[in-house]
Amino acid sequence: MRSLRVARDGAPRGDAAAVGYTTGGKPYPTVNVATFGAAAALTGTARDLAAFDRALAAGKLVGRESRDILWKGDPKLGYEALGVWSFPARLAGCAQPVTLIERRGDVAGIQVRNVIAPDLGRSVAVFVNDDTVQFGEIWQGKGLSYDLLSAAFCLTPQS
């Protein structure tokens, strides 16, 4: 994981290479990403985020007991856990619901969807630099997130 780092204070876009765009294709105004702290000041590539996900799911970053506490979604709170949503989802191509750990980000026109399927040992990390992209809600059984996760976690490629 060579790219993951905390954004430098005052660095345009936190020294990230991507520029976010708003409706109409205009560059998003520059913000000091470092001011977002733990919520959004971590920058890096999708590849490194996926590597981080795999290490977290495998118990290499925190122990199982701590990870279980982090990922305990409360149905009464919309499956909110500690900094993530943790919930079972019915996806196309899977016979049973899949437990998903979802973290979202949206700062300065850059959107991130980071989803781990711990029981499957897989994760998906998606970055887009267009704030008009609509990911949808997985629980609705439609939309970009639902389609991406169904393909990544459940559907087998056709020969």
Side-chain angles (χ1 to χ4, degrees):
M1 295 190 296
R2 300 182 193 280
S3 71
L4 289 182
R5 65 186 179 285
V6 175
R8 284 187 311 115
D9 188 31
R13 298 182 312 276
D15 282 336
V19 174
Y21 292 89
T22 65
T23 304
K26 295 181 181 180
Y28 203 92
T30 301
V31 298
N32 184 359
V33 178
T35 63
F36 290 92
L42 187 63
T43 66
T45 65
R47 180 184 303 270
D48 279 353
L49 181 54
F52 180 88
D53 290 347
R54 286 190 303 274
L56 184 60
K60 295 179 181 178
L61 302 178
V62 296
R64 177 179 298 275
E65 185 175 300
S66 295
R67 188 188 61 215
D68 290 348
I69 292 169
L70 288 171
W71 289 353
K72 185 176 174 68
D74 186 344
K76 295 176 189 171
L77 300 174
Y79 290 97
E80 183 179 4
L82 292 174
V84 298
W85 283 269
S86 177
F87 56 94
R90 292 209 171 268
L91 299 173
C94 281
Q96 301 297 321
V98 177
T99 298
L100 300 178
I101 311 301
E102 180 185 23
R103 176 137 168 101
R104 300 174 179 194
D106 187 350
V107 174
I110 305 293
Q111 295 187 70
V112 180
R113 292 300 186 273
N114 180 32
V115 183
I116 303 169
D119 297 337
L120 301 177
R122 297 182 188 171
S123 68
V124 170
V126 178
F127 289 72
V128 297
N129 66 339
D130 179 346
D131 72 356
T132 66
V133 171
Q134 298 295 314
F135 281 92
E137 298 297 337
I138 298 161
W139 59 268
Q140 292 177 330
K142 62 182 181 179
L144 181 56
S145 288
Y146 176 81
D147 293 343
L148 285 171
L149 298 179
S150 292
F153 298 150
C154 300
L155 300 177
T156 54
Q158 301 296 317
S159 21

